[in-house]
Amino acid sequence: AVEKYTVPLRALPRPTPPPGAPALGFPRFLILSDISQSLDLEPQFPGDLSEVYLTEVVRSSQRILAGAAAFQLDQPITTTCQNTVAGPPLKSVMFELKAGSDAPPDSERFRTYAIFFVQALVDHVLSTFPGLSLDDRVAVVVPNERFLEGFRACLGEVQPETGKGQLETLLAARLAVLEQRSDAESKVQMERIKKIREVVAMKLRVVSAAEASRYVPKRHARVETKQHGRVYVQLPSQMIVVDTVENFHGLERL
C-alpha cells in the first residue's frame, strides 16, 4: 500500500544541485506512521528511508501522557512531554441508579444520566473554565446505539411551555442551583456565574461525531468581548458532540 504513494514521488525529476554541490537524491518526502493505529504490525517501507521516532508531545500534559502510555505497543521508546504541567485530575461524577427488579424505566434512567451530565457540565467544566465556549469542545461517549438514542432524546426534546430544548432547560435549572449556593454572593462567584450564564444562553445543538468532524471553525462568526484585560471569544451557536464509542474510534480531533 505504501508504494501507491511513494512511486509517484520517486518518478518526479531530480532537482539540479548548485555548482560544486553533491548530486541530490530523490525528491524529499515524509511518511508519518503510527504503529499503534496500524492494521499491519510490520508495515513495509522503502528500504532507503531514514527512520526517525517522534518521542515528544507538546500540546498535552503529564497526566494525559501517562494515560496514553497504556495504549502504546511494546516499543523500546519512552515518550516524554515537552512541558512539566501535571494537568488537572480526572473528575468523577458518581450517582446511584437502581438495578434489577427495582430498575427505573428506560426513559427515567436516561433522564437521570442527562441530569448528571448537565451537573458535571455546569459545576465542573463551566465553573473551572468560565467564559469558555462549549462549541465542539465537549464530547459525550456512550456505549451503544440504544443508549445513544435514549440519551439524545432526553437532551433534544423541545419543551412546549418554553419552546426550548431539554438540554437548555436542564442547564438553566442547574445554573439556578449554583446561584443559590451560600458563596454565590461573593464577587468572584458572581463573576463566574455571569460568564456561565452567557455561555448557557447561546444556542446549543447536539450532533454526532461525524457531523462535528465536517464543520470548519466559524472564525468569521466570532464575537469577542474584552473584560478586565482579557478577550473572551464566543460563538452564536455551540455543538455538543454525543455519539457511541465505536463512532469515536480514530477521531483524535474530537
Side-chain angles (χ1 to χ4, degrees):
V2 175
E3 285 74 12
K4 175 182 177 182
Y5 306 100
T6 59
V7 170
L9 288 170
R10 291 176 177 274
L12 294 174
R14 301 184 184 186
T16 303
L24 299 177
F26 291 105
R28 293 183 179 180
F29 63 95
L30 181 69
I31 298 176
L32 294 177
S33 174
D34 185 350
I35 188 65
S36 65
Q37 296 189 20
S38 174
L39 296 178
D40 186 355
L41 296 182
E42 296 182 358
Q44 300 299 314
F45 298 107
D48 57 346
L49 293 181
S50 299
E51 281 191 352
V52 176
Y53 289 98
L54 303 181
T55 62
E56 185 180 61
V57 294
V58 178
R59 296 180 61 184
S60 189
S61 67
Q62 297 286 347
R63 290 183 190 274
I64 295 177
L65 178 64
F71 298 92
Q72 289 184 318
L73 295 182
D74 187 16
Q75 297 286 331
I77 301 170
T78 302
T79 306
T80 60
C81 189
Q82 185 267 344
N83 60 69
T84 57
V85 177
L90 292 176
K91 179 71 173 182
S92 298
V93 177
M94 304 181 71
F95 57 94
E96 185 177 357
L97 198 60
K98 294 181 179 179
S101 59
D102 295 329
D106 281 351
S107 58
E108 183 180 338
R109 184 165 68 96
F110 290 128
R111 177 171 170 77
T112 301
Y113 273 100
I115 290 173
F116 280 94
F117 158 65
V118 169
Q119 176 180 323
L121 199 62
V122 174
D123 293 16
H124 177 57
V125 178
L126 290 176
S127 294
T128 305
F129 308 101
L132 182 69
S133 170
L134 299 177
D135 186 58
D136 205 16
R137 285 193 172 106
V138 176
V140 182
V141 185
V142 300
N144 51 51
E145 291 290 340
R146 179 172 172 272
F147 196 108
L148 176 65
E149 182 180 354
F151 186 73
R152 287 194 60 159
C154 292
L155 299 180
E157 294 176 346
V158 176
Q159 304 298 299
E161 60 273 14
T162 63
K164 294 183 178 181
Q166 181 70 359
L167 178 56
E168 288 89 342
T169 302
L170 291 174
L171 282 168
R174 190 60 198 177
L175 182 57
V177 173
L178 196 64
E179 291 174 330
Q180 293 173 3
R181 290 181 176 175
S182 58
D183 60 344
E185 295 184 0
S186 69
K187 185 176 181 180
V188 174
Q189 183 71 348
M190 288 177 64
E191 186 67 22
R192 180 181 290 111
I193 291 175
K194 178 183 177 182
K195 291 183 175 66
I196 295 175
R197 188 184 294 113
E198 291 173 355
V199 175
V200 172
M202 290 188 288
K203 182 180 178 181
L204 297 168
R205 294 189 301 120
V206 178
V207 301
S208 67
E211 184 178 354
S213 298
R214 289 198 298 265
Y215 279 87
V216 176
K218 298 167 285 187
R219 302 185 188 279
H220 63 282
R222 285 189 173 189
V223 177
E224 296 187 357
T225 57
K226 191 171 184 180
Q227 297 180 4
H228 307 296
R230 291 187 175 183
V231 175
Y232 294 91
V233 179
Q234 295 181 347
L235 299 174
S237 64
Q238 303 175 98
M239 293 188 300
I240 305 295
V241 189
V242 182
D243 216 328
T244 63
V245 62
E246 181 178 1
N247 291 337
F248 269 100
H249 279 331
L251 298 181
E252 283 77 7
R253 183 201 70 80
L254 298 172

